[in-house]
Amino acid sequence: MGKKLLIVESPAKAKTIGKYLGGDFAVKSSVGHIRDLPKENSAIKIEANGPGKWTFTPKYVVSDGKGKVVSELKRAVKASDEIYLASDPDREGEAIAWHLKEVLAPVAGDKPFHRVTYNEITKPAVLKAVAEPRDIDMPRVDAQQARRILDRLVGYKVSPLLWKYIPCANNRTLSAGRVQSVALRLLVERQREIDAFVPETYHLMGVEAKKRGGGAKSSFVAKLVRMDGEKPDIREKQAADNILLDLAGAELEVTGLKKQPKVRHALPPFTTSTLQQAASSVLGFSPGKTMKYAQALYEQGRITYMRTDSVNVSDVARAAAKDYIISSCGAEFYPEKPNFFKSKADAQGAHEAIRPTDAALAPELSGLDSAALKLYDLIWRRFIASQMADARTTVKTVSIAARKPALAHDYLFTASATDVDFEGFLKIMKLSLKKKKAGDDEDDDDSDEVAALPQLAEGEMLDAVRWLADEKQTKGPSHYSEASLIKALEENGVGRPSTYAATIETLKTREYAKNEKKKLVPLERGILVCDWLVKKLDSLFNVGYTAEMEAELDKVEEKGEPMDAMLSEFYAKFLEALAACAEPAPDRSKFDVVFGLLDKVKAWKEPKTVGKRTYDDKAFVESVRRQCDENKPMSARQLEFLVRMVSMYSEQIPDAEQTLKEAGIGAGASMLPAKADEELVKFCFETMDRIGGMMKNPFLKSLREQVDRGRGLSPKQFSILARSVGENAGALPDCGEIRSKLAEFVPGGFSSQDDDPAVPGLLELMKTVTEWRPPAKKGKKIYDDRGFVDSLAEQYSRRHSLSPRQVMALRRVAVAYKDKIPGYAEHAERLGLTDIPSSREKSAEVLAGVEESVPGRRARGADA
């Protein structure tokens, strides 16, 4: 028997699966993707193929840092007779398998490739998968490629527009994404609803009632539900006081008792999105943290594959759950007929729900610790409960009337309590039985529910211990939590569950939103980006169209529809939208007017060389004139620069303002490009000199060079300069005065960023590192850990703060060097390092460039 090679994605899986397969197999890891699209714009070759039709050919290259992995895999292929591709059982895993085959086939020759998949890393599942290989599913690969192409087109075409038109600091880090931008739009629209909401005051009336002769335990609170047969709407305090006055001295009579049996069904086992939602709500885990620990549990063989939208359960797993339920809880806790749950229409039916691989392995027996144990407990209980009998309850409601001679109104109060008749699945999975608010997961505090009711009889008289009137305010919409945003995205068909964690991480990394009291709150940058996209490209970044695109992508996978046809339909609309948002070309007659004015200039400024560039006003004007004479396309930006020239040389052009006004280029003085106040500009540069180190920023350096050449700054340029100065002035004693002076020129002012108290400790910790990794060049970039940490320390000394993105990056570097930091374990928890992946381990959560993936490591379609 020849040697066989099986390739998985992660080293952890390779080690586990190698033990299952024995000596006939060599098991290697690809460490995620081995190929990706290169960074340049030419990564996708787009060729016209008839009206409204194009072909899209991606050009793949070996990912940065993967050359050594590919070489090792090629050597292993040469030493093997058969190759088994065992990447994950989803769309991304199928693409990895295809990329592996494409790269390894030239050295494999005629050796066969097999595709194997399994939903759990257990010996029976792996052996079964290897015994039943299949071919690579090309429609699924095409669906993944189509997503990558879409994400690249959106990221590389739209993000530069944000850089050009949105004035904010570090605007080159702004980005748009097919899913990310719609998620951001949901956050911003919810913020607008919150801002527009005007709360109204109302009064909730009730009574604390008590059985006559009963003890303290016989009292309960009843809510006023009817007044003269109508639902009470008490808005004014005076009205509430009048009711209290009317009820003073009244007795209470039980006028009705009602019992309503109810059945509560078990919830289905987890999918990716419901697991993220539950872990966020119950455990306080971020989606990224949830997926990190779920991945670890999967690779340890504890749970099934964690990227799934199916609620299916295998017959073997169902039988194992039945055995556990009957042996641990009793036969009555298993339903007469097994529970089956229906997956969504677009779910991948071949997959299973997320469940434990061994139903009998209760959490307390798992040997896990900390966060992994909490997540396993959640998954295990949800699965076992999903296979258990229904819970049966009885809702008891008592109706109480106020009795008193000459009452001005008829008053009816009610109180309800729920008794559990049979626990059913609630024995394993405890859930609140309180009523929920309409459209919300929170308990309804305005309901008439109480913990328990005493034994009562119709006609029985009760004592009114006290009459109640609570002043309340109507509650408007609340910010999305990470869990509720995931739910909204899924309900609207936006994106896929496997991408949600990375999408939310991107929103926070880009500083479009932040977590505030467990809610996602959009930040100024995010609002600016969203508003521009909605104004200019609404047709591309709305919920309906994005969901429609997801459905079209699913058709490529499920029905084998041609990838190019689907992409062509998108591309035609995409080009139309981009053309509509572009600035219209100005009338050429306006150029003639401006050239006529500039012809009057006799004394041009001497050319000035700064660095390798020479600035020559006269040469610039002549170059634009030649372009115009040759009937080449002219832009509004060129006209704007020419008008600036007129402004700069206005002393030699006395009739400039009137001439431009008559040509419709502007009106009076306002038609000339506005300039920032020269004294304020001077103040900013003087402050920069006091701060020190800011001239390392190429853009700020270019602004100073522009001023040194005698050219003023535009309001947009000055706004960026003012923001940079204000944000970096944290260490100056007069920081408050500086920011106050510049705030009016900075959209939104200077936001008070919550400083992470761990930053000084993190920087001190990194000072103890004596052995640094040498700088590594990847593509055109050089990654230098020591230089990066030094730059953050230098910035912190100026600003007294770092951005959340920088703090997270600093933590990741610290984790990467934990073996080189003395006493690391003593500081890890205090400095927030316990749940942070190192800078060398981070994969799909790292977002580089302006698209939805990360070269060199496995990416799950996260918008950058």
Side-chain angles (χ1 to χ4, degrees), residues 10-17 19-20 118-123 126 292-306 355-358 361 366-369 371-373 375-376:
S10 77
K13 279 190 281 187
K15 187 175 180 180
T16 303
I17 291 173
K19 296 176 183 177
Y20 297 155
Y118 37 80
N119 285 323
E120 59 186 66
I121 303 177
T122 59
K123 188 172 182 178
V126 172
K292 171 190 169 183
Y293 284 106
Q295 178 86 36
L297 290 171
Y298 168 65
E299 293 183 353
Q300 293 167 18
R302 301 302 183 99
I303 64 171
T304 54
Y305 190 55
M306 65 287 161
R355 60 167 177 81
T357 55
D358 182 359
L361 187 65
S366 66
L368 297 168
D369 54 22
L373 175 61
L375 190 64
Y376 179 77

Side-chain angles (χ1 to χ4, degrees), residues 553-566:
L553 286 163
D554 288 342
K555 288 180 184 178
V556 174
E557 177 176 346
E558 295 162 7
K559 299 181 180 180
E561 294 193 2
M563 178 180 77
D564 283 339
M566 175 262 159

Side-chain angles (χ1 to χ4, degrees), residues 345-356:
D346 58 354
Q348 300 180 58
H351 290 180
E352 276 197 74
I354 302 171
R355 60 167 177 81

Side-chain angles (χ1 to χ4, degrees), residues 31-42:
V31 196
H33 275 286
I34 61 167
R35 290 203 307 177
D36 199 1
L37 296 172
K39 291 290 184 66
E40 61 263 21
N41 285 321
S42 60

Side-chain angles (χ1 to χ4, degrees), residues 232-250:
D233 183 17
I234 306 162
R235 300 284 174 170
E236 303 297 331
K237 185 177 185 304
Q238 185 60 53
D241 290 342
N242 291 341
I243 291 172
L244 292 176
L245 189 62
D246 191 29
L247 287 168

Side-chain angles (χ1 to χ4, degrees), residues 610-740:
V610 180
K612 295 181 180 180
R613 297 185 64 180
T614 298
Y615 297 88
D616 187 334
D617 293 344
K618 184 177 181 180
F620 169 74
V621 172
E622 291 307 316
S623 70
V624 178
R625 191 196 299 270
R626 282 194 301 272
Q627 184 177 333
C628 189
D629 291 342
E630 293 169 4
N631 285 322
K632 291 182 178 179
M634 308 298 292
S635 70
R637 192 167 181 82
Q638 288 173 311
L639 181 62
E640 177 186 343
F641 276 108
L642 290 174
V643 174
R644 287 185 183 179
M645 288 288 182
V646 173
S647 175
M648 289 171 56
Y649 290 91
S650 57
E651 292 181 0
Q652 300 182 52
I653 314 172
D655 56 344
E657 292 185 21
Q658 185 62 29
T659 302
L660 288 172
K661 180 179 179 181
E662 291 172 355
I665 300 175
S670 64
M671 60 78 192
L672 294 174
K675 289 184 181 179
D677 183 275
E678 293 181 3
E679 287 301 316
L680 282 174
V681 172
K682 182 180 178 182
F683 169 78
C684 282
F685 285 127
E686 289 173 348
T687 306
M688 282 173 54
D689 292 338
R690 292 173 59 203
I691 295 170
M694 292 186 65
M695 292 310 293
K696 294 177 183 178
N697 183 306
F699 178 73
L700 298 179
K701 184 178 179 182
S702 72
L703 293 185
R704 172 161 272 181
E705 291 171 349
Q706 178 178 323
V707 172
D708 290 344
R709 295 195 306 272
R711 298 185 178 183
L713 299 185
S714 70
K716 181 177 177 181
Q717 290 174 316
F718 180 69
S719 175
I720 297 172
L721 174 65
R723 179 182 291 280
S724 298
V725 170
E727 288 180 345
N728 282 278
L732 297 181
D734 55 342
C735 171
E737 291 85 347
I738 292 169
R739 290 177 176 173
S740 177

Side-chain angles (χ1 to χ4, degrees), residues 4-7 25 82-86 114-116 130 133:
K4 300 173 182 178
L5 172 66
L6 184 135
I7 304 174
F25 277 86
E82 294 180 76
I83 301 96
Y84 290 78
L85 305 173
H114 308 291
R115 173 76 170 119
V116 296
V130 170

Side-chain angles (χ1 to χ4, degrees), residues 151-177:
D151 295 341
R152 173 58 68 95
L153 290 174
V154 171
Y156 272 47
K157 296 292 185 183
V158 179
S159 296
L161 298 177
L162 301 179
W163 306 340
K164 180 178 179 181
Y165 293 113
I166 295 183
C168 66
N170 299 319
N171 70 339
R172 295 284 293 188
T173 63
L174 299 176
S175 70

